Amino acid sequence: FLDRLKVKIILGPATKRSNEIVNLESKFRKNLIIVQKTKNMRREILDSKFGICGGGITSYEFANLSIPFAIICQYPHQLQTATQWHKNKIGLNLGLPNKQLGSKLESIFDDILTGVTYTRSNKIKVDGLGARRISKIIFSEAP
């Protein structure tokens, strides 16, 4: 689909560019941008029409910014969050990488190319202050 879609991949600071990514980047120079890391993930997400992310913090960022997204869980514990996003029609849960993942992604890309739009959720409000609230609780209960 890289010949028909504009794609930006943000690897993150801990992820190295594999030979496969380097090859794709050179083959699809007009449609594929690889970013090692970004200082402004919010801007990157807001510039997107659709996102695919892991099942961690980035899924909350997509939900908060009301950008449609799918989740590929990187670890089993992320399945719980991905299941809830899916159940509440906020994100698509693609589960852990498996043999069906390719066909699930193909279906999404086909939808995007044929004009199917995924709902932009307004159901969740994340204020980014959850860690601060939790730390207050922990420290107020500390001996």
Side-chain angles (χ1 to χ4, degrees):
F1 291 94
L2 285 173
D3 57 337
R4 297 178 282 161
L5 289 172
K6 295 227 182 239
V7 175
K8 181 183 285 187
I9 298 174
I10 301 171
L11 298 175
T15 304
K16 294 182 181 175
R17 283 188 172 172
S18 67
N19 288 335
E20 185 176 357
I21 288 176
V22 170
N23 291 337
L24 286 172
E25 187 176 23
S26 65
K27 185 176 178 181
F28 297 101
R29 288 176 199 208
K30 292 182 181 179
N31 290 5
L32 177 63
I33 297 170
I34 307 290
V35 176
Q36 186 64 47
K37 61 183 177 180
T38 181
K39 291 184 179 182
N40 193 339
M41 187 61 117
R42 182 178 194 277
R43 184 189 69 231
E44 300 288 358
I45 291 171
L46 284 171
D47 287 344
S48 304
K49 293 179 183 174
F50 187 87
I52 299 173
C53 62
I57 294 169
T58 306
S59 66
Y60 288 87
E61 294 185 51
F62 274 101
N64 183 47
L65 296 171
S66 299
I67 301 296
F69 66 101
I71 300 166
I72 300 172
C73 297
Q74 297 165 294
Y75 304 99
H77 74 272
Q78 294 177 346
L79 288 167
Q80 289 180 307
T81 304
T83 299
Q84 288 304 310
W85 288 135
H86 195 89
K87 180 180 173 183
N88 292 308
K89 297 183 172 134
I90 294 169
L92 301 173
N93 178 9
L94 302 180
L96 292 163
N98 59 36
K99 292 179 182 181
Q100 293 80 32
L101 180 59
S103 61
K104 290 176 184 179
L105 289 169
E106 282 182 25
S107 178
I108 290 170
F109 298 149
D110 275 335
D111 286 350
I112 291 169
L113 287 167
T114 58
V116 172
T117 56
Y118 287 89
T119 305
R120 293 177 181 263
S121 172
N122 292 330
K123 293 182 180 183
I124 183 167
K125 297 297 177 203
V126 179
D127 62 9
L129 302 174
R132 183 176 297 154
R133 283 192 291 276
I134 295 299
S135 68
K136 282 183 182 179
I137 292 169
I138 290 170
F139 288 115
S140 72
E141 295 176 5

